[in-house]
Every structure is written in structure tokens, then in C-alpha cells.
Amino acid sequence: MISHPSFLPKLVKLPRFTTLLSSTLAALAAAICAIGLMGTAAWLISSAALHPPLATLTLAITAVRTFGIGRAGFRYLERYLSHKLAFHSFTKLQLFLYDRAAAALPLREGLIAQGQWLQALTTGCGTLRDFYLRGLLPPLITLLLLIAISAGLYPLVGKLALLLLPLFLLHLLLPYWAAVLPAPTAGTYRTLLSDSVNGRDELAAAGSWAAFLPHLDQQAKSLNLQQQQESAKDYRTDFLLQLLDVLVFLLLLAGLAQCVLHNASLSFIDLSLWLMILLAAMQELQPLAKAARTIQRSQQAAQVILTKPLPQTPVESTAPIDKSNSLLTIQQVDFGYQPAIPILQGLSFRIAHGQHTAIVGDSGSGKTTLAGLICGFWPADSGSIYLTGQISANLQTSFLFTGTIRDNFQRLIPGISDAAILRCLRISKLDRWLTNQPAGLDTCLTANAQNLSGGQRNRLLTALALAKPGELLILDEPTAGLDKKTASALLTELLIELDKQQRTLLLITHDSPAAARMKQVIHL
């Protein structure tokens, strides 16, 4: 979606034009006032040394006060407008980022790749916010000022005045070219640090903790060395630019001195004015190196946010599908998280309305993967999945939010009544546990319901899936962690309720007695 040449136009078009224009004008006015203050102050001091009549200095005194007040006022206005511009664009980027993540997640490459991608998106979004403050406005304002100063100097020093424009380009291009592309050191260190925190008990139990720490320490030293090398490279680039600034300044000053000493086209008072203007212009060049590095980082962030990874387009089968009385039709579906390791190959089956179906198979045979394909988490590599209705599902990766039991139901189904919640909890055989809780439906859950047992958590997820309307109810191991009596009673109540609501169950299970009660059993 975004390539190297189109990077800047894409981001410039993101904010409102009026906000961008007003920020630019305020910043330009602040810079003009700063240069005007330096120039008029120099003229005032030089002229006052000649003891002219006070009336001669009145205009300059007024100009100094005007430029001083204007510089402060326009600077505050520029800060307000530029931050408004940045945060407005940041909001639009965040909304785009949310939509993109919702379309792409979960990534079929797994949780590690998913975490790395989300981390790159969120940090990249913050980088793009800084683009408007530190990457866009400083070069634009400085360019306009240098063009005006060069135009004023040209009648005096001729082609020497044009040196300011190549100097401007060097202040942008040298830091941009010299910027070091991010190496994988930071990502590697971050992964190892996370592993050391989350897997400390396992490492200690395996006796590998002492051997792991030196490896982590080595990665930390590599990251520190990389950061030092980047800082040293930036320092050398900035030092070279300062030398160029001094060289151009001396050349322009020599040209102006020629005008004073030889052809008398310039007075010493005018020379002092131009001297201060040039010093102020050199000050305006200083933020450009930082702006160039911000632009370079923003380009990388934009490429990550707007291009990778794209939601994959499913491959549609051209074979005809018999949709008569079919709630779900799977036809010649192939899928694998890695192209070289297929999980499902040539899978075909149908589920009719009311035809409760069990999916059984060994661990790793693709049962939960199949449920994810039906839910649309990933497109099939080939084949077709046709559904004539809505889905409600409880998969092994389902998440429960911190808050009360009622909050979790209302997040899923806004406006659901307490009576409907209690009915679903009764069918899921969680009502007796709830009766023993003093807070009832206001019982609080920790993150992902870690304060519940595995069986209680599964039953709560089953109740949530049952509460969500949908012609097809997918349950992934709903009886895991339950004794045989409770599991049988849960399944009985569940099938009675689904038949009453004319809904169809797709049960993923290792439980043979549970699978035997289904009208159709599919072995993977």
C-alpha cells in the first residue's frame, strides 16, 4: 500500500489541510519573528553607537518589542497547533491500526510473530505521531526562510547566496543516509528477556538457568554496543554539518565584507544586521538532522504499519457446492500454518441444520485449527467453507476479561438480562458454584479467570458461547476437567436447550462418550 516514493504524500494527506496549514503559518511566523528580533536588535545597537536622534531609533525599538512579543506568541500558537495536528493524526493512525489488527489477527505464524508484529505496530504509530512535530514542520519552515534570505543576499553577494540551499539539503540528506537501519539485536534481546521472566521456573527445574544468563548478558552487551555505534555515527555526522555551517557562514560573511570595503554598497550597520540574520539562519538549520532521522524512522514505521502482514485472500474452489439444507459445508480444504507442514488436506464434510456433530482425533490433528478456519480466523489455503448462518464459539484460546461475571456477559451481549445469564450458567452446570459465591453475578474474575479452576473456566466459556445467538455453536473441549457425571449432565442439558432453540452443535472433543451422543462423528 505504501512504497518509498509515496511515503511523504501519504502521511501529509492524513491530517486536515487547514490544521496543517495553520501549524505551518504559525511556525513560519515564529521563525520570522526570531530572525527579525536578531536583525533589528543588531541594527539598533549598531546605530545607537553613532548617537543619532532618538526619533531615528524609535521604529527599531518598536520593532524589537513587536518581534519579541510576536516570537513568544507565535511560538506558543505553533506548539498548540502542531500538537493538535500530531494527536489528530495519531488518532486516525490508531483507528486504522485497530482495523488492520482486527482484520489480520490472529496471525497463523503463531503468538510470537503476532506479539512482534503488534509491538512494531504500536511503536511505529508513536513514531509517526512524532513525524508531524519533528519531521515535517522544521524542514518546511527552514526551507522557506532560507529561500527568502538567499533572495535578499543575492543582490549583494551574487551566487554565494545560493550556498544556503545546498547546505539545507545536506542537513537533511547526510543524517538520512547515515541513519542505521534497526538490526535484530533489540528484538532478540527482548525475546530472550521475556523468555527469562516467563520461563524462569522451567529453566531452574531443568538446571539451565545458570547457562541461560550469560547468553542473555551477551545479547544485552551487543544491544548496548549497537546503540553506542549509532550514537557515534550520529555525532560524526552532526560534527561534519557544523563544519559546513561554519564554512558557508564565513564565505557569506566574506562576501558581505567585500560589499562594505570595496564597492561601499553596504554600510557597517547593515553588515551587523546581516551578520545576526545569518547567525539566526544557522540556528534554524540545527533541528534538520533530527528531522531527517525522524523521517527515516517514520518511513520504516509506515512501511510496517501499512504493508505487513496483509490479511490473506482465501483461495476459492471452483467446484460446485451442494447447499441444500446445509448449515456448514467444508469442501476440499487444505491448510497449514507453514506451507511445508500441512495440517488439513482435502477435508470435506457437511453439517445439516440440527445435525449435532463431533470432531475427534489425536492431539495435533487439526481439530482446533478447523474451528479457527470456520470462525474465519484464517483463510484456507485452498478449498471452500460455506456457512448459512451465524457462529457462536468457545475455543481453547478464548479470553475472559478482568471484572465481574456479569461484565463478561454484557461485553459479549450488551443488554443481556440477569435471568438469561443465570439460565446459561445453569445449563453449563455452574449454578451451584455461583450459589456459593456471596457476590453472585458480581463475583470478580482476575485476568483470564485465573482464579477459577480449569473446569469452572471451561463451563463459564460454554455459558458465554451459549448466550451468544448463532445457528452454529462451536465448543472446544467443553467437558475437559469435569467428572463423568457432571460432563454427562452438562451435555444433556446443552442438547435439550439447543434443540429447543433449533441450533446446531459442533463439538470438538477427546471424550468418546460425548462424541457417541452426536448425530455425526468426523475423525481427523
Side-chain angles (χ1 to χ4, degrees), residues 216-235:
L216 179 63
D217 185 57
Q218 181 60 40
Q219 288 296 328
K221 290 179 179 178
S222 298
L223 178 60
N224 184 48
L225 178 61
Q226 178 192 5
Q227 292 173 341
Q228 290 178 353
Q229 290 173 344
E230 291 176 1
S231 298
K233 195 169 187 178
D234 291 344
Y235 175 80

Side-chain angles (χ1 to χ4, degrees), residues 39 102 352 355:
Q355 186 182 26

Side-chain angles (χ1 to χ4, degrees), residues 443-464:
T443 300
C444 287
L445 304 177
T446 58
N448 208 14
Q450 294 297 315
N451 57 330
L452 300 183
S453 68
Q456 290 168 344
R457 186 179 181 279
N458 278 346
R459 281 178 281 172
L460 180 55
L461 287 170
T462 298
L464 283 163

Side-chain angles (χ1 to χ4, degrees), residues 55-126:
T56 306
L57 304 177
T58 302
L59 181 60
I61 294 171
T62 305
V64 167
R65 291 175 177 174
T66 302
F67 285 132
I69 296 172
R71 179 178 181 274
F74 284 119
R75 184 65 69 191
Y76 279 113
L77 180 62
E78 179 264 330
R79 292 292 174 88
Y80 170 77
L81 293 174
S82 61
H83 280 74
K84 182 179 179 181
L85 164 71
F87 283 104
H88 169 74
S89 303
F90 185 54
T91 301
K92 294 180 71 173
L93 283 168
Q94 284 181 311
L95 292 174
F96 172 80
L97 179 62
Y98 179 84
D99 292 339
R100 182 171 179 79
L105 296 179
L107 299 184
R108 60 198 294 175
E109 290 84 357
L111 291 177
I112 294 178
Q114 183 170 298
Q116 291 173 344
W117 182 60
L118 287 174
Q119 195 271 343
L121 289 184
T122 52
T123 55
C125 196

Side-chain angles (χ1 to χ4, degrees), residues 178-484:
V180 179
L181 294 175
T185 306
T188 303
Y189 175 70
R190 193 162 44 240
T191 300
L192 286 173
L193 187 61
S194 176
D195 290 344
S196 68
V197 173
N198 296 325
R200 181 171 182 173
D201 294 338
E202 289 81 356
L203 288 169
S208 303
W209 180 250
F212 183 82
L213 286 178
H215 187 45
L216 179 63
D217 185 57
Q218 181 60 40
Q219 288 296 328
K221 290 179 179 178
S222 298
L223 178 60
N224 184 48
L225 178 61
Q226 178 192 5
Q227 292 173 341
Q228 290 178 353
Q229 290 173 344
E230 291 176 1
S231 298
K233 195 169 187 178
D234 291 344
Y235 175 80
R236 289 193 295 269
T237 303
D238 292 342
F239 181 71
L240 175 60
L241 289 173
Q242 289 179 3
L243 289 179
L244 292 174
D245 289 346
V246 172
L247 178 61
V248 171
F249 176 78
L250 292 177
L251 289 174
L252 291 174
L253 186 60
L256 291 171
Q258 286 286 103
C259 296
V260 175
L261 299 176
H262 294 282
N263 52 23
S265 60
L266 199 69
S267 66
F268 280 100
I269 294 177
D270 294 333
L271 177 62
S272 66
L273 185 149
W274 277 110
L275 174 64
M276 298 307 294
I277 288 177
L278 288 176
L279 287 174
M282 295 302 166
Q283 289 296 319
E284 294 295 326
L285 287 169
Q286 300 311 307
L288 293 185
K290 187 175 182 180
R293 296 178 184 116
T294 300
I295 292 173
Q296 207 257 11
R297 289 193 299 268
S298 299
Q299 177 190 329
Q300 298 169 22
Q303 289 172 344
V304 171
I305 287 179
L306 301 180
T307 60
K308 300 189 298 186
L310 292 174
Q312 299 176 355
T313 303
V315 179
E316 296 292 343
S317 172
T318 56
I321 298 177
D322 181 10
K323 304 173 184 176
S324 58
N325 193 36
S326 175
L327 174 62
L328 175 68
T329 301
I330 306 290
Q331 183 163 312
Q332 295 297 314
V333 164
D334 294 337
F335 179 80
Y337 295 104
Q338 303 294 334
I341 309 175
I343 295 177
L344 301 174
Q345 291 181 291
L347 179 64
S348 298
F349 65 87
R350 292 177 57 209
I351 298 177
H353 289 275
Q355 186 182 26
H356 303 310
T357 300
I359 304 290
V360 298
D362 296 334
S363 296
S365 60
K367 300 185 299 298
T368 300
T369 296
L370 175 60
L373 288 173
I374 296 171
C375 290
F377 292 163
W378 314 283
D381 294 333
S382 64
S384 297
I385 300 175
Y386 182 79
L387 177 70
T388 59
Q390 292 181 331
I391 298 174
S392 58
N394 157 28
L395 304 184
Q396 292 179 357
T397 54
S398 298
F399 186 84
L400 288 165
F401 292 95
T402 302
T404 66
I405 293 176
R406 181 187 287 107
D407 289 339
N408 275 271
F409 276 90
Q410 291 179 344
R411 280 176 180 268
L412 184 64
I413 310 138
I416 187 174
S417 65
D418 286 357
I421 297 174
L422 291 171
R423 185 180 74 254
C424 294
L425 292 173
R426 177 184 58 79
I427 295 170
S428 301
K429 298 304 173 185
L430 205 59
D431 53 333
R432 183 176 298 179
W433 170 82
L434 187 68
T435 302
N436 295 327
Q437 304 303 310
L441 291 178
D442 291 320
T443 300
C444 287
L445 304 177
T446 58
N448 208 14
Q450 294 297 315
N451 57 330
L452 300 183
S453 68
Q456 290 168 344
R457 186 179 181 279
N458 278 346
R459 281 178 281 172
L460 180 55
L461 287 170
T462 298
L464 283 163
L466 181 62
K468 183 71 175 178
E471 288 82 354
L472 182 64
L473 174 63
I474 303 177
L475 297 180
D476 190 357
E477 302 287 0
T479 59
L482 303 181
D483 59 85
K484 292 183 179 180

